[in-house]
Amino acid sequence: HIYICLEATGVYHEALAYALFKMGVKVSVMNPAFIRNFAKGLGVRGKTDKKDSMVLARYSALIRPRLWQPEIEDIRILKALLSRLTGLENDLQREHNRLEKADISQASKTVIDSIELMIEQLSNEVNRIKKLIDNHIEQNPKLKKDRSILKTIPAVGEVLSREMLSVLHSRDFKKASQAAAFVGVVPKLWDSGKLKGRTTLCKNGPGRIRAILYMAAIVATKYNPDIKIQYERLLKAGKTKMQALGAAMRKLVQICFGVLKHQSEYRSQAI
């Protein structure tokens, strides 16, 4: 059997991965951060296609990474819509920032009118994409049911539920810890340097989802019984607020994984 190991490069690796999979080739797609760290461990300096190929070959031979599987079509569509929504929302925020700057600097009415027109158009498109996302989920019985289950979790609303759908259905996670690691909310212990003895999030996964999880975790520390108890216990144990919030983010992912795995609504373990 032919086996090929690739680095994930935005969306550019996907066409090759799908083509190879259709040909019956075994494929692994690796996080570039893992490969860079492995290369440093080998003492590889510089970056060329030849060196990268050598590092990938040695990594795959030593680590034996899991084989890549294509996502189902409905999840690919959902992820593409979510990515588009994020881009539009970022553009909209930039236009709002420009409007604030234009108002402060007393820019001409022509400039302000232009910015306000862009804000209106972007806002309309944001709302249109949100409706497309909701319609896509509603038309898929499995996604619709799973989203309704996720929304029974306190602090999981419209935004986080659709993001967690895209994450938890994008891989065949066997354990909640695997999902948490994929998102990048598992702790990393520092054994040396000025951070010695402290833990931080590994941040290996998509930053967009961690940002959404962070805001949801803040809400969860007040309204989700299990996470509230954990958060207060960690603070009493001397953990910083950021460390306790990191644990809350991880717990939230684990709860989301659990309710979908068991196909049951959220029930607090704290009661």
Side-chain angles (χ1 to χ4, degrees):
H1 292 286
I2 300 174
Y3 170 73
I4 295 178
C5 186
L6 312 173
E7 274 190 337
T9 53
V11 297
Y12 299 106
H13 70 279
E14 291 186 1
L16 177 58
Y18 275 93
L20 292 171
F21 184 84
K22 288 180 180 179
M23 294 167 58
V25 176
K26 293 183 177 180
V27 181
S28 291
V29 179
M30 301 309 306
N31 186 325
F34 295 167
I35 305 302
R36 284 197 299 271
N37 290 334
F38 184 75
K40 290 178 182 178
L42 294 176
V44 175
R45 297 183 179 181
K47 183 174 174 62
T48 65
D49 289 342
K50 186 176 181 179
K51 287 182 178 180
D52 287 349
S53 298
M54 180 273 293
V55 171
L56 273 169
R58 294 187 66 176
Y59 180 90
S60 58
L62 180 64
I63 304 299
R64 301 283 181 173
R66 60 185 290 181
L67 295 178
W68 176 85
Q69 293 289 327
E71 295 170 344
I72 62 174
E73 184 66 17
D74 283 334
I75 297 303
R76 291 189 70 193
I77 293 172
L78 177 60
K79 290 178 71 173
L81 286 169
L82 290 172
S83 178
R84 177 59 179 161
L85 177 61
T86 299
L88 288 168
E89 288 176 334
N90 289 339
D91 290 340
L92 181 58
Q93 184 58 55
R94 280 191 284 268
E95 289 299 321
H96 277 295
N97 294 342
R98 291 184 182 115
L99 181 60
E100 181 180 6
K101 184 178 178 181
D103 286 336
I104 293 173
S105 62
Q106 298 182 344
S108 68
K109 185 177 182 301
T110 302
V111 170
I112 291 177
D113 286 346
S114 173
I115 297 173
E116 289 179 339
L117 176 62
M118 289 301 299
I119 288 175
E120 180 183 359
Q121 293 177 338
L122 285 169
S123 296
N124 290 337
E125 187 61 10
V126 164
N127 291 331
R128 190 179 78 87
I129 295 297
K130 285 181 179 178
K131 289 180 182 178
L132 287 176
I133 292 170
D134 289 337
N135 289 339
H136 178 69
I137 294 173
E138 286 292 315
Q139 291 169 7
N140 184 301
K142 173 63 174 172
L143 295 180
K144 181 180 179 180
K145 180 183 178 182
D146 283 356
R147 190 183 197 187
S148 67
I149 293 174
L150 286 171
K151 289 171 70 175
T152 64
I153 305 170
V156 177
E158 296 291 329
V159 176
L160 184 56
S161 63
R162 64 193 182 213
E163 292 289 346
M164 292 310 298
L165 277 180
S166 73
V167 169
L168 295 176
H169 285 293
S170 67
R171 299 287 188 279
D172 183 23
F173 298 116
K174 303 298 183 185
K175 299 184 294 184
S177 58
Q178 293 176 334
F182 178 79
V183 177
V185 292
V186 296
K188 177 173 66 175
L189 176 64
W190 294 85
D191 290 326
S192 62
K194 62 181 180 180
L195 295 178
K196 184 176 181 180
R198 292 186 58 185
T199 57
T200 59
L201 298 182
C202 64
K203 298 183 179 180
N204 288 330
R208 181 188 81 251
I209 296 176
R210 278 196 305 278
I212 295 170
L213 273 169
Y214 176 78
M215 299 305 297
I218 292 175
V219 176
T221 58
K222 297 180 180 179
Y223 300 107
N224 186 299
D226 297 305
I227 293 177
K228 181 179 180 181
I229 289 174
Q230 174 189 261
Y231 180 75
E232 292 173 350
R233 184 181 72 247
L234 290 174
L235 291 180
K236 288 180 180 178
K239 300 296 184 181
T240 66
K241 286 187 176 181
M242 286 304 298
Q243 288 174 320
L245 277 173
M249 292 166 66
R250 186 164 58 258
K251 183 75 169 178
L252 205 48
V253 173
Q254 292 168 344
I255 293 173
C256 288
F257 175 87
V259 296
L260 292 191
K261 179 180 180 181
H262 298 290
Q263 288 292 290
S264 60
E265 295 185 356
Y266 168 80
R267 292 181 182 178
S268 174
Q269 302 299 310
I271 299 175

